Amino acid sequence: MALSLASSALAQAVEPGKVQEVPTLTDEVMESGTTPVRGNPASSMASWWPDDLILAPIPGRSPELGWKLALVGGYFIDIDKTQTDTPSSVVGAMGMTTENGSYAYGVGGNLHFWEDRLRVALAAGEINYNYRYWGVGNAAGDTGLSLDITQKSPLYYGSVLYEVWDNVYTGLGFLAGKADVRLRTERPLLANLPDPSITLDMAAVQLPLKYDSRDQPYFPRHGALLSATAAFYRQALGSDFDTDIVSLSANQYLAMADRDVLALRAYYRSAGREAPFFLLSSFGGKTDLRGYDVGRYRDKTMYALQAEYRWRVSNKWVLTGFTGVGEVAESAGDFFSEYLPAAGVGARFLLSQKHLVSLSADYSVGKNGSQFYFGVGEAF
């Protein structure tokens, strides 16, 4: 789908308050376009509509943002028509608005060269994200007290990845931008929560390493997706602070029965000592873990373990059951004392039989209550 349905816009690069819920254009742009997309539904309504031009509204809902709507446009290009093994490249744009007043817009592209041995990703945009700041540490999350804040971030991203072995990519990325954090209300500050208002320039070099043996990008039944990324924020690059952020993820997909799949995910993230609060590791969002308010549990390090069974009951419907557990802590040595469990059920309606892209609805229960999610695609 266009820009991997372009349902992410620069958030994965900076993760303001774990902003995977905010439409952006970084990791999703890098992952998009890995399979040729054809059969544009618009062409069935207008015969003159180009088959490679996709324009689509994408609905969604998350606990933090409420209902949201993104408009995505993408154009697929075969850069080297003589190489049938080279996936289609894609360029596009997106815009999003949400129930709580957040918005995002941006442009981006994901280009494939030399039978997909070389991948180039570019993105630029802006996020205005309204969310709650709960403080840092497990104790702050347990109090249930928060401040309403807004974060405005123009962001720019680029990366080059090269296939060094079969299905293994590495390269170099660069991101730059600005974070302007302000209070949204005039109410008095809470005793345990200092004013988080801050304005910072951000710039970092990224070193990514990826292994991808999945049989299908949107509903895989076989293979694995492994990713390791180190980001180095440095004043010499134009950043107002020096810090390092390391993230590791491993997804494994096991075929079950005729059409079902057991999906497993492990995730670890660590932020350096000088990282501002919005770059700390935190729970929430659709990926790690469902069932928690975005950023309610936030600290320097975190891990999350998940398992999800996807039962394809018909050609159109998939039912899911999932569970997981994780923690946040000041350091990895403090793990295994403040567990954060979650479990839930969901349903999928397949929009595309060819590419197995679906509308998804999930209901999850965490330590502090339940959450409902609605969107496009799988959690991982």
Side-chain angles (χ1 to χ4, degrees):
M1 299 293 285
L3 295 179
S4 193
L5 294 176
S7 56
S8 278
L10 304 155
Q12 200 67 15
V14 294
E15 294 183 303
K18 194 73 171 181
V19 193
Q20 279 121 321
E21 293 194 333
V22 177
T24 62
L25 300 172
T26 54
D27 276 4
E28 292 299 328
V29 169
M30 295 169 65
E31 295 296 336
S32 66
T34 53
T35 54
V37 176
R38 295 292 183 267
N40 183 5
S43 62
S44 64
M45 295 181 287
S47 59
W48 50 265
W49 189 277
D51 191 44
D52 290 322
L53 177 62
I54 291 180
L55 183 65
I58 301 175
R61 187 193 182 281
S62 68
E64 185 74 15
L65 299 175
W67 289 100
K68 52 187 175 178
L69 180 65
L71 182 63
V72 174
Y75 190 80
F76 289 86
I77 307 167
D78 292 322
I79 293 178
D80 189 350
K81 299 182 184 297
T82 66
Q83 299 290 343
T84 58
D85 292 333
T86 302
S88 296
S89 297
V90 60
V91 294
M94 59 79 63
M96 181 210 70
T97 185
T98 76
E99 186 179 355
N100 80 341
S102 299
Y103 63 84
Y105 57 86
V107 296
N110 188 18
L111 308 178
H112 299 259
F113 303 92
W114 303 338
E115 297 181 318
D116 202 27
R117 291 194 298 272
L118 179 66
R119 297 178 178 181
V120 178
L122 300 168
E126 182 171 292
I127 302 168
N128 194 90
Y129 183 46
N130 298 327
Y131 60 106
R132 287 179 288 178
Y133 174 62
W134 306 81
V136 177
N138 284 284
D142 287 340
T143 65
L145 301 176
S146 64
L147 295 172
D148 293 328
I149 63 176
T150 185
Q151 180 168 337
K152 187 174 183 178
S153 295
L155 297 165
Y156 311 93
Y157 179 80
S159 73
V160 176
L161 295 177
Y162 186 77
E163 187 179 27
V164 291
W165 295 288
D166 287 346
N167 301 321
V168 177
Y169 292 83
T170 189
L172 189 68
F174 181 78
L175 65 93
K178 189 171 186 175
D180 186 4
V181 182
R182 294 286 182 265
L183 291 170
R184 275 196 288 159
T185 62
E186 298 295 331
R187 72 181 187 180
L189 293 175
L190 303 172
N192 66 320
L193 287 178
D195 188 347
S197 299
I198 192 171
T199 300
L200 293 171
D201 289 325
M202 300 178 293
V205 170
Q206 286 186 334
L207 299 179
L209 179 64
K210 295 197 175 195
Y211 171 79
D212 188 354
S213 64
R214 296 172 298 171
D215 61 327
Q216 209 274 351
Y218 304 117
F219 192 86
R221 297 188 67 238
H222 304 276
L225 176 61
L226 311 178
S227 178
T229 302
F232 304 97
Y233 291 80
R234 292 294 183 269
Q235 295 183 46
L237 299 173
S239 179
D240 284 338
F241 55 92
D242 291 347
T243 197
D244 303 332
I245 294 177
V246 175
S247 62
L248 306 171
S249 65
N251 296 0
Q252 178 70 52
Y253 303 94
L254 305 173
M256 310 293 289
D258 292 332
R259 298 190 296 178
D260 303 348
V261 60
L262 176 63
L264 307 172
R265 175 174 169 83
Y267 179 73
Y268 172 82
R269 188 181 186 276
S270 176
R273 181 171 300 178
E274 294 186 25
F277 79 89
F278 55 81
L279 284 179
L280 295 178
S281 306
S282 65
F283 273 66
K286 185 179 178 181
T287 304
D288 300 298
L289 289 164
R290 284 161 288 180
Y292 287 88
D293 293 297
V294 175
R296 179 162 181 168
Y297 291 93
R298 181 196 311 267
D299 216 320
K300 289 186 175 63
T301 61
M302 70 162 286
Y303 75 87
L305 305 174
Q306 294 184 85
E308 178 170 301
Y309 193 90
R310 299 166 183 169
W311 176 30
R312 191 169 177 184
V313 296
S314 71
N315 288 334
K316 286 288 188 180
W317 288 97
V318 177
L319 301 180
T320 66
F322 52 89
T323 187
V325 68
E327 290 179 273
V328 299
E330 187 171 0
S331 68
D334 297 323
F335 285 152
F336 312 118
S337 61
E338 297 283 348
Y339 294 104
L340 299 172
V345 295
R348 311 283 184 264
F349 179 77
L350 293 175
L351 297 173
S352 168
Q353 292 292 318
K354 180 178 181 180
H355 300 291
L356 299 180
V357 177
S358 62
L359 282 176
S360 63
D362 290 327
Y363 176 81
S364 184
V365 178
K367 178 180 177 180
N368 309 113
S370 61
Q371 306 282 4
F372 173 70
Y373 305 82
F374 179 79
V376 176
E378 302 298 331
F380 59 88

